[in-house]
Amino acid sequence: MTAYFRPLVQHGPACPNGAVFLAGLPLWFTHAERLVRGVKSSIVSVQQVPEEVLNRLTQPRADIAGIKMDRPQIMGILNATPDSFSDGGVHNSVEAALMSAQEMVSHGASILDIGGESTRPGASFVPVDEEIVRTKPLIEAIRAKTNALISIDTRKASVAQAAWMAGAGMINDVSGFTFDPQLAPFCAETGAPVCVMHMQGDPATMQDDPQYDDVLLDVFDFLEGQVARLEQLGLPRDQIVIDPGIGFGKTEAHNLTLLQNLSLFHGLGCPVLLGVSRKGLIGQIGKEPRKDARAPGSIAVALAGLAQGVQIVRVHDVAETAQALRLWAAVR
């Protein structure tokens, strides 16, 4: 039976003998939780973690398109859509979107994630041509005004190709490279860094009745398989970011299980991205129905993720998140 190892992450100057550092970060662990399907978990020392797994857990992460992965990075969300769950219609012109992009960069975003198709629960499919019309001019405008890394949030190879030609430097696929069979080969051919996200179903149906045998291990297995597939196509593992897909085909209980055990995903040997900003989970637990008033809850969960070694947080509220990160780092 396959065993999985979740590092029990700690921080601080009192790093004991035998501790190892997590992914090149100022976080360390001396023990890990050993997980096996259908078996009660157990706690083991780092000496009992298989060498291959331990190497993936501890190896410093390479830069992603020049962005350092040895410190927290902020990815600002910029949706050029009329129907995204939180900011739909806000950026309905290139000028308005460009202004928001420049503000995000000035406030501390090192990555801008540009999307032209809403992936909120129940969202409809957007034709390729329409998605390109929404995203390409904006990417060109941002590229002309800032050096920030631009990520194109798309499931479609043609959209990614247009975005890449316009100046995007990363491909973020919410389908985890399961939607368009041409997208993964395109990324491998160009050497584009990618983000592989887990989603059960598609945006139109994903929240109907999500089911898992074991949500934590099922999501890990999916991401492990997709990372291996991308490697086989020629994309280096160190240029693959993974995202467990909070809110994408998951119940509140599923989401909380993933958030409580995020450190497991470092075992893939890739940087980890966490996207929880303004999502339903924040509204439900935080008791805030207004999506644009969920910054406090979003930041709280982001900081909890950073304490488990998450390298990238994907957020709407960049200035507020950056302020929180500065204070978080100072007090630690």
Side-chain angles (χ1 to χ4, degrees):
M1 292 186 289
T2 302
Y4 308 75
F5 295 86
R6 182 179 71 87
L8 304 180
V9 183
Q10 302 183 63
H11 79 280
C15 182
N17 290 334
V20 294
F21 285 93
L22 178 69
L25 301 167
L27 300 167
W28 47 266
F29 62 102
T30 58
H31 291 76
E33 182 181 20
R34 184 178 184 272
L35 302 162
V36 177
R37 290 180 184 271
V39 178
K40 185 178 180 180
S41 69
S42 59
I43 305 302
V44 300
S45 70
V46 292
Q47 289 78 18
Q48 295 170 280
V49 177
E51 183 177 2
E52 181 181 3
V53 177
L54 191 61
N55 286 341
R56 285 188 176 172
L57 288 170
T58 58
Q59 183 176 9
R61 305 303 185 234
D63 297 355
I64 299 292
I67 306 298
K68 298 291 185 183
M69 291 292 110
D70 61 355
R71 67 203 69 173
Q73 299 290 350
I74 297 174
M75 172 186 276
I77 301 169
L78 195 61
N79 288 315
T81 56
D83 58 341
S84 287
F85 82 96
S86 177
D87 58 352
V90 173
H91 308 118
N92 56 4
S93 71
V94 171
E95 292 76 15
L98 177 59
M99 184 178 297
S100 292
Q102 291 175 300
E103 287 178 355
M104 287 180 182
V105 173
S106 70
H107 290 145
S110 55
I111 311 169
L112 297 172
D113 197 37
I114 313 300
E117 179 181 50
S118 174
T119 50
R120 63 176 173 78
S124 300
F125 178 84
V126 174
V128 168
D129 290 347
E130 177 62 25
E131 194 173 338
I132 292 174
V133 166
R134 292 177 180 180
T135 56
K136 183 179 178 181
L138 175 54
I139 292 169
E140 290 173 335
I142 294 172
R143 182 75 297 136
K145 295 293 185 178
T146 176
N147 291 323
L149 172 59
I150 299 172
S151 166
I152 178 66
D153 179 357
T154 187
R155 303 179 287 168
K156 305 172 187 125
S158 296
V159 177
Q161 183 175 8
W164 182 259
M165 295 299 293
M170 181 176 180
I171 314 299
N172 180 15
D173 182 358
V174 297
S175 81
F177 294 87
T178 63
F179 181 79
D180 186 339
Q182 300 304 313
L183 183 52
F186 168 76
C187 295
E189 290 166 9
T190 58
V194 302
C195 181
V196 182
M197 197 193 80
H198 174 274
M199 173 171 59
Q200 187 178 96
D202 59 48
T205 62
M206 64 186 179
Q207 291 304 113
D208 289 352
D209 185 27
Q211 300 284 336
Y212 297 88
D213 292 330
D214 182 314
V215 66
L216 180 63
L217 303 186
D218 290 354
V219 172
F220 184 96
D221 284 350
F222 169 83
L223 293 172
E224 183 176 47
Q226 293 305 94
V227 169
R229 174 174 164 247
L230 289 167
E231 265 195 314
Q232 290 171 356
L233 289 172
L235 194 66
R237 183 177 289 258
D238 66 8
Q239 293 303 294
I240 302 172
V241 177
I242 59 99
D243 177 354
I246 302 300
F248 285 81
K250 282 102 176 170
T251 65
E252 181 179 302
H254 293 148
N255 289 323
L256 288 174
T257 296
L258 292 169
L259 289 168
Q260 291 158 0
N261 295 278
L262 283 170
S263 63
L264 175 73
F265 295 101
H266 293 293
L268 295 169
C270 303
V272 180
L273 182 150
L274 178 62
V276 295
S277 182
R278 299 186 183 180
K279 288 185 176 178
L281 172 81
I282 307 298
Q284 292 157 13
I285 297 177
K287 301 187 185 303
E288 178 51 78
R290 297 167 301 167
K291 297 179 180 66
D292 61 356
R294 294 176 183 170
S298 302
I299 292 168
V301 179
L303 295 180
L306 293 177
Q308 293 195 57
V310 164
Q311 285 94 348
I312 304 171
V313 288
R314 183 179 182 272
V315 305
H316 296 86
D317 303 292
V318 171
E320 295 85 345
T321 303
Q323 181 185 118
L325 262 62
R326 288 192 289 271
L327 271 296
W328 178 83
V331 300
R332 287 166 69 92

